[in-house]
């Protein structure tokens, strides 16, 4: 019985010790750890993204102004051509026949003019002597004028026939590369209503451009001369550089979405970029390099007296923009003049020197966090309906 009482006393003492440990030491105290950063020189930029199509800066569609059968093609896809080089010929049989007929009509009209000229001169001599009436003289003069106009018209017909015959020989209008061919030998082309397309020739494939569609919400920030980088799916690991060369004023509306075309230069010395590729474009609407900058969230940081440790104090000032430092247990506010910001970084124009360590954020550990509950930022204002939400959750 005595041993039993001893064991009961030991157990009771152990229980008391455990209870005291849980009540006194089982719950850790809250601890605030501050995140800091140094004021450094960084690059700040803002950008917009879009997609566009790569195309040659200069391309010409070659057609024909006369109808006929394609007799001969001298070039194919990717052929390199020079200005004035013959690239195709149409069948010239009908055109030569038309030229010969026009020349025959001209010869006949010239003969008629020669006769009417001599006849007019004869009637004029007789009229001057009073041997013929004025009516007969006017008839001779009218026939002479008609014959002269017929000769002029026949000359124009000959020139037109010669021009049409020349059109049957198709030459390249520029130096370049044949991108597309729309006809084959033996095919008939008709130029009755519009000019048939035979070839598309690009002048210089080393000088390309991107036509990008920019949303109306972003077009206000796009200006000529801004730097552009873009990628294409054909070469996903390559990044290409260019500049905005033109912002077109005409809007395009598709499915109630308004976009504007922006022209971007795309140097292509290695000929990787091909006409028609889709470009994923990034336009840098603002760039500042090597400027003093801080994280933008540092401007939203404010120390809270409720979580100050023993001996810590606050030195605050009234200012529209300020950041905080912690030194020798003193939270000190520093007034700054902010510059350009992209949301993540803010330029510092004055008020801080390079290398200064400032407070950015904090982490609260212990207390509720030990139970797995997320600790709320004590430096940020609490929602007004926080208590109501807790009561609803309890219900």
């Amino acid at each position: 019985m005595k041993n039993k009482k001893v064991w009961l006393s030991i157990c009771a003492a152990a229980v008391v010790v455990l209870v005291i440990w849980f009540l006194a030491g089982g719950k850790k105290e809250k601890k605030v750890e501050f995140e800091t950063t140094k004021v450094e020189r960084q690059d700040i930029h803002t950008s917009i993204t879009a997609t566009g199509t790569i195309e040659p800066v200069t391309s010409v569609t070659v057609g024909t102004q006369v109808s006929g059968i394609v007799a001969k093609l001298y070039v194919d896809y990717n052929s390199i051509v020079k200005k004035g080089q013959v690239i195709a010929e149409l069948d010239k049989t009908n055109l030569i026949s038309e030229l010969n007929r026009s020349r025959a009509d001209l010869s006949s009209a010239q003969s008629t003019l020669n006769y009417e000229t001599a006849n007019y001169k004869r009637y004029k001599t007789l009229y001057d002597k009073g041997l013929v009436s004025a009516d007969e003289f006017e008839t001779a003069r009218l026939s002479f004028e008609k014959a002269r106009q017929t000769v002029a018209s026949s000359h124009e017909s000959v020139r037109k026939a010669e021009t049409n015959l020349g059109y049957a020989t198709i030459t390249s209008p520029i130096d370049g590369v044949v991108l597309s061919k729309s006809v084959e030998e033996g095919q008939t082309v008709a130029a009755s209503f519009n000019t048939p397309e035979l070839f598309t020739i690009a002048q210089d494939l080393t000088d390309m451009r991107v036509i990008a569609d920019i949303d109306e919400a972003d077009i206000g920030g796009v200006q000529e001369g801004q730097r552009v980088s873009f990628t294409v799916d054909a070469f996903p690991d390559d990044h290409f550089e260019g500049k905005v060369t033109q912002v077109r004023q005409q809007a395009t509306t598709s499915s109630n979405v308004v976009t504007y075309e922006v022209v971007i230069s795309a140097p292509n010395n290695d000929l990787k970029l091909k006409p028609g590729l889709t470009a994923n474009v990034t336009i840098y609407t603002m760039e500042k390099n090597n400027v003093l900058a801080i994280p933008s969230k540092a401007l939203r940081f404010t120390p809270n007296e409720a979580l100050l440790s023993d001996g810590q104090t606050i030195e605050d000032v009234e200012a529209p923009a300020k950041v905080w430092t912690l030194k020798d247990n003193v939270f000190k506010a520093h007034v700054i003049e902010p510059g350009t910001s992209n949301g993540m970084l803010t330029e510092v124009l004055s008020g801080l020197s390079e290398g200064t360590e400032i407070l950015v954020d904090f982490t609260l550990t212990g207390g509720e966090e030990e139970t797995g509950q997320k600790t709320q930022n004590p430096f940020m204002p609490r929602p007004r309906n926080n208590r109501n939400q807790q009561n609803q959750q309890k219900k």
Side-chain angles (χ1 to χ4, degrees):
M1 291 298 292
K2 186 176 182 180
N3 291 336
K4 185 175 181 181
K5 291 181 179 180
V6 171
W7 280 109
L8 289 174
S9 300
I10 294 173
C11 291
V15 171
V16 171
V17 171
L18 288 175
V19 171
I20 294 174
W21 182 86
F22 276 112
L23 294 177
K27 186 175 181 181
K28 297 181 180 179
E29 295 181 356
K30 292 183 179 180
K31 182 179 179 181
V32 180
E33 296 180 356
F34 295 97
E35 177 186 347
T36 63
T37 188
K38 289 185 178 181
V39 180
E40 298 176 334
R41 293 193 173 274
Q42 303 184 61
D43 297 337
I44 301 177
H45 69 263
T46 58
S47 62
I48 61 175
T49 58
T51 58
T53 304
I54 295 174
E55 62 180 39
V57 173
T58 301
S59 62
V60 178
T61 300
V62 181
T64 174
Q65 293 187 346
V66 294
S67 301
I69 298 173
V70 179
K72 188 68 177 177
L73 294 177
Y74 296 101
V75 295
D76 204 345
Y77 291 94
N78 301 333
S79 296
I80 298 176
V81 296
K82 298 294 183 180
K83 183 177 181 179
Q85 176 182 336
V86 176
I87 57 178
E89 285 185 336
L90 302 181
D91 181 73
K92 300 178 181 179
T93 303
N94 292 336
L95 297 173
I96 293 174
S97 176
E98 182 68 21
L99 176 59
N100 292 335
R101 185 184 66 80
S102 297
R103 287 173 175 171
D105 290 343
L106 174 61
S107 178
S108 175
Q110 187 65 53
S111 298
T112 301
L113 177 60
N114 293 338
Y115 168 77
E116 295 295 343
T117 300
N119 189 53
Y120 169 69
K121 291 179 179 180
R122 184 170 57 253
Y123 267 88
K124 186 176 187 305
T125 301
L126 294 174
Y127 178 74
D128 291 340
K129 294 180 179 180
L131 299 177
V132 294
S133 65
D135 183 62
E136 290 174 318
F137 170 71
E138 288 297 326
T139 300
R141 188 181 67 81
L142 180 60
S143 298
F144 164 72
E145 292 294 337
K146 288 182 177 180
R148 190 169 63 177
Q149 292 172 1
T150 301
V151 169
S153 176
S154 297
H155 272 295
E156 293 299 324
S157 296
V158 170
R159 280 194 286 269
K160 180 179 178 181
E162 291 174 342
T163 301
N164 287 339
L165 181 60
Y167 285 152
T169 301
I170 300 164
T171 60
S172 174
I174 58 173
D175 296 343
V177 179
V178 177
L179 294 183
S180 67
K181 182 183 70 171
S182 304
V183 294
E184 299 292 341
E185 291 185 4
Q187 183 175 339
T188 301
V189 293
S192 302
F193 301 102
N194 51 24
T195 302
E197 296 181 2
L198 305 183
F199 304 95
T200 299
I201 300 176
Q203 186 174 39
D204 185 6
L205 291 182
T206 63
D207 185 18
M208 305 287 276
R209 65 182 181 181
V210 179
I211 306 297
D213 295 325
I214 307 299
D215 189 85
E216 61 177 327
D218 299 324
I219 194 63
V222 181
Q223 297 178 358
E224 292 183 9
Q226 291 173 337
R227 183 172 70 91
V228 180
S229 65
F230 62 92
T231 61
V232 295
D233 293 340
F235 304 98
D237 297 329
D238 293 342
H239 288 78
F240 303 90
E241 297 290 329
K243 289 185 177 180
V244 175
T245 59
Q246 186 181 53
V247 180
R248 294 177 176 173
Q249 301 298 324
Q250 183 178 5
T252 301
T253 304
S254 178
S255 301
N256 294 327
V257 177
V258 179
T259 58
Y260 293 84
E261 288 187 346
V262 172
V263 182
I264 301 164
S265 64
N268 188 33
N269 295 327
D270 54 6
L271 299 180
K272 285 186 175 181
L273 299 176
K274 301 182 183 300
L277 288 178
T278 299
N280 303 305
V281 176
T282 300
I283 301 176
Y284 295 92
T285 56
M286 184 277 296
E287 286 188 289
K288 284 196 173 183
N289 299 323
N290 196 33
V291 297
L292 286 181
I294 60 174
S296 298
K297 63 179 181 179
L299 295 169
R300 300 187 293 270
F301 178 89
T302 301
N304 192 320
E305 294 183 357
L307 293 180
L308 295 183
S309 301
D310 293 338
Q312 290 183 336
T313 59
I314 297 177
E315 293 184 7
D316 197 0
V317 293
E318 291 294 332
K322 57 187 175 181
V323 295
W324 294 83
T325 59
L326 176 59
K327 186 177 181 180
D328 297 331
N329 283 334
V330 177
F331 289 90
K332 185 176 181 179
H334 299 263
V335 180
I336 70 166
E337 181 183 357
T340 304
S341 176
N342 63 358
M344 298 295 295
L345 295 174
T346 298
E347 179 187 9
V348 178
L349 299 178
S350 64
L352 289 175
S353 59
E354 185 175 359
T356 302
E357 191 169 343
I358 63 172
L359 295 167
V360 176
D361 205 346
F362 78 98
T363 302
L364 181 62
T365 60
E368 294 180 353
E369 191 176 42
E370 292 292 322
T371 65
Q373 298 178 4
K374 185 177 180 181
T375 305
Q376 187 175 359
N377 186 336
F379 296 161
M380 296 297 291
R382 295 177 178 270
R384 295 181 180 179
N385 60 346
N386 187 44
R387 182 174 298 176
N388 294 336
Q389 292 178 352
Q390 293 177 354
N391 293 336
Q392 292 177 1
Q393 291 175 357
K394 290 179 180 180
K395 292 179 181 180

